[in-house]
């Protein structure tokens, strides 16, 4: 009885230490190896949309035993489980972001010259998409918006409009 309580406490403590994506992995029944934990942590902490090679570079800084093959396999598994979403912002490389509830109505503006991705939210757009779907006889279950553009020349003293 005492050993069961200790085991439960240990599991509970580990669950609290998990990253946001690590928690999603556990909730979806994935076995969390040390290397998966590192990859999940790197993805959870990413403020951008890393491709697999960038993800590997960041993960290898934390654990030099992680191979690029492990990162590819893990990303594929997380995508299959609906934990990650693949994005194609041009440039020939898929990039990834977490599939998180409550974060569905964000959009991407991609600078075609630099590849920089600006995330933004626009409730008016979400309402418009819902209205259009209903008008066409559909119940909207999902939508995404990716805009590709080139930064306009700035006038002196004008704010940059960049997100960071």
């Amino acid at each position: 009885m005492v050993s069961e309580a200790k085991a439960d406490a240990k599991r509970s403590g580990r669950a609290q230490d998990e990253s946001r994506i690590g928690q999603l992995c556990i909730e979806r029944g994935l076995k969390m190896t040390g290397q998966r934990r590192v990859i999940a942590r790197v993805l959870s902490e990413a403020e951008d949309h890393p491709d697999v090679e960038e993800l590997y570079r960041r993960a290898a800084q934390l654990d030099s035993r992680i191979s690029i093959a492990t990162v590819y396999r893990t990303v594929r598994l997380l995508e299959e489980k609906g934990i990650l979403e693949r994005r194609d912002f041009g440039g020939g490389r898929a990039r990834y972001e977490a599939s998180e509830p409550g974060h569905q109505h964000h959009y991407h503006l991609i600078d075609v010259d630099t590849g920089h991705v600006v995330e933004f939210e626009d409730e008016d757009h979400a309402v418009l998409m819902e209205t259009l779907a209903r008008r066409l006889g559909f119940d909207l279950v999902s939508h995404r918006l990716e805009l590709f553009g080139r930064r306009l020349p700035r006038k002196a003293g004008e704010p940059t409009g960049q997100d960071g």
Side-chain angles (χ1 to χ4, degrees), residues 12-26:
S12 175
R14 253 199 321 255
Q16 290 174 351
D17 293 340
E18 288 294 340
S19 64
R20 193 174 77 246
I21 291 178
Q23 286 283 359
L24 290 171
C25 291
I26 291 169

Side-chain angles (χ1 to χ4, degrees), residues 77-89:
L77 179 64
L78 298 181
E79 192 178 358
E80 288 171 4
K81 293 289 187 177
I83 296 168
L84 282 186
E85 288 186 31
R86 175 192 302 249
R87 298 286 189 215
D88 180 5
F89 297 141

Side-chain angles (χ1 to χ4, degrees), residues 75-132:
V75 164
R76 189 175 327 116
L77 179 64
L78 298 181
E79 192 178 358
E80 288 171 4
K81 293 289 187 177
I83 296 168
L84 282 186
E85 288 186 31
R86 175 192 302 249
R87 298 286 189 215
D88 180 5
F89 297 141
R93 290 188 174 178
R95 303 206 295 189
Y96 296 89
E97 70 178 339
S99 307
E100 296 183 66
H103 199 58
Q104 301 95 320
H105 296 294
H106 79 278
Y107 310 107
H108 302 99
L109 174 61
I110 300 94
D111 185 322
V112 296
D113 294 326
T114 66
H116 179 74
V117 178
V118 177
E119 280 193 3
F120 65 97
E121 294 183 20
D122 182 16
E123 194 55 40
D124 292 341
H125 177 264
V127 171
L128 175 62
M129 294 299 101
E130 184 68 38
T131 301
L132 288 170

